[in-house]
Amino acid sequence: MSFYKRFFIMLLAVWAFGAVTVSAQVEDISPINIGQNIPGQITTENPVQRFSITAEEPLSVEVQVLTITEGFVPAFRILDPSGLVIQNVPNGEGQTTVRTIVSLTAAGEYLIEVRGVGGTTGSFLISTLAGRPLSPPQELILGEATPGQLSEEQPRLAFAFSGLIDDYLFLTVEPSFAELSSPTVILRDAESGDMLAASSALLAGLRVRLPPREQSYLLEILHSAEADAESVNICLEAESDTLRCSSMMGRGLPPVVATEEALAPRPTSTLIPAVVLP
């Protein structure tokens, strides 16, 4: 057999192997429609089962995973079309049924990954149900720290604001100081819906610097489902502003007040030159 023929056969084998691998990855994801129930199974060989749900427009969806096999403890997480983890339901209490309400804030395909807690295996039933429409965004006030509360009943906060023409903007979103979990934060172009910046539920907040530009922004904060309730603080401030609202954001710090004692001149210190010893 000639060298070129052997080389062609080798390329054909590599192509076939790649096609099988891609096909297996595609078949590993089962589509599920809103309002549908689908059985699933977690095994030692397949510890994670994936489902895809497509949103034609922004909406909220209730996702529930129910145990069928005794001893199986389900948990799942949800990823947006860009791969960002927007909710994580760890099921640390070992419940047989876990559920959450997730806000699908942009059109596209979302991924639901179901697994067993502590390596447990078994069968389950996953179901989806359409929730309430998303509420319109609130106006974010420049220079003021805005508190927010997230829960299962209020899984999404949305704020709208515009860029400055002649100054930079700092946008800060952080969980309260005592929080152990963090919500998902997404900053979008309000007109196109394109994602400009994001912080997943596995991180602790977001801080971005926005350039001087005539642009409308949409800020979305989503409940991570790792806690019953989550508190956040949002701050939008101009870079040239001397009054920074960041110091008032959820850390229990009192506002800084200039007193007469603080403004009084302080004595200067005299620098003594160092002596070099032999």
Side-chain angles (χ1 to χ4, degrees):
M1 183 182 297
S2 66
F3 168 78
Y4 294 102
K5 186 174 295 185
R6 289 197 303 268
F7 181 72
F8 176 76
I9 294 175
M10 183 177 64
L11 285 180
L12 186 62
V14 171
W15 175 84
F17 177 77
V20 170
T21 304
V22 172
S23 177
Q25 291 176 351
V26 173
E27 293 176 356
D28 188 36
I29 302 177
S30 303
I32 180 172
N33 299 321
I34 297 177
Q36 189 177 12
N37 303 321
I38 292 182
Q41 187 175 20
I42 299 298
T43 63
T44 305
E45 295 76 17
N46 297 301
V48 177
Q49 185 165 0
R50 298 172 176 84
F51 301 87
S52 64
I53 180 171
T54 301
E56 301 295 340
E57 58 184 10
L59 77 163
S60 63
V61 176
E62 179 179 342
V63 180
Q64 178 178 277
V65 178
L66 171 66
T67 298
I68 298 177
T69 303
E70 184 178 358
F72 175 62
V73 182
F76 65 93
R77 67 177 189 171
I78 302 174
L79 294 79
D80 78 344
S82 67
L84 181 74
V85 178
I86 58 175
Q87 278 203 358
N88 184 39
V89 187
N91 193 12
E93 300 177 357
Q95 300 177 358
T96 57
T97 301
V98 285
R99 58 181 293 274
T100 188
I101 298 177
V102 59
S103 299
L104 311 183
T105 61
E109 186 177 84
Y110 292 77
L111 200 63
I112 306 172
E113 296 182 340
V114 182
R115 67 184 187 279
V117 177
T120 57
T121 59
S123 301
F124 62 90
L125 184 71
I126 182 173
S127 61
T128 59
L129 185 65
R132 295 172 296 181
L134 301 183
S135 57
Q138 310 172 43
E139 192 70 26
L140 198 58
I141 302 176
L142 182 67
E144 292 187 10
T146 304
Q149 295 287 333
L150 293 160
S151 63
E152 186 175 303
E153 292 73 24
Q154 180 68 34
R156 174 181 176 264
L157 297 174
F159 300 91
F161 65 95
S162 299
L164 298 179
I165 301 177
D166 54 355
D167 200 357
Y168 285 85
L169 283 176
F170 276 114
L171 174 66
T172 306
V173 181
E174 62 181 25
S176 295
F177 187 68
E179 295 288 342
L180 298 178
S181 61
S182 178
T184 301
V185 183
I186 302 175
L187 179 65
R188 299 185 186 276
D189 184 315
E191 297 181 2
S192 65
D194 295 338
M195 181 187 297
L196 305 177
S199 174
S200 80
L202 306 179
L203 300 178
L206 176 72
R207 182 171 172 82
V208 295
R209 183 173 183 253
L210 304 174
R213 183 178 301 165
E214 291 186 1
Q215 185 168 351
S216 299
Y217 298 95
L218 173 64
L219 174 66
E220 296 179 305
I221 308 172
L222 310 179
H223 185 220
S224 70
E226 292 197 36
D228 294 336
E230 292 172 329
S231 301
V232 293
N233 293 284
I234 308 101
C235 179
L236 180 68
E237 54 191 341
E239 186 177 47
S240 61
D241 195 351
T242 56
L243 299 176
R244 297 302 179 109
C245 57
S246 302
S247 61
M248 300 182 292
M249 292 184 59
R251 302 185 182 278
L253 300 177
V256 178
V257 180
T259 61
E260 293 183 2
E261 181 181 357
L263 296 176
R266 300 188 179 185
T268 58
S269 58
T270 302
L271 182 63
I272 301 175
V275 178
V276 179
L277 298 177

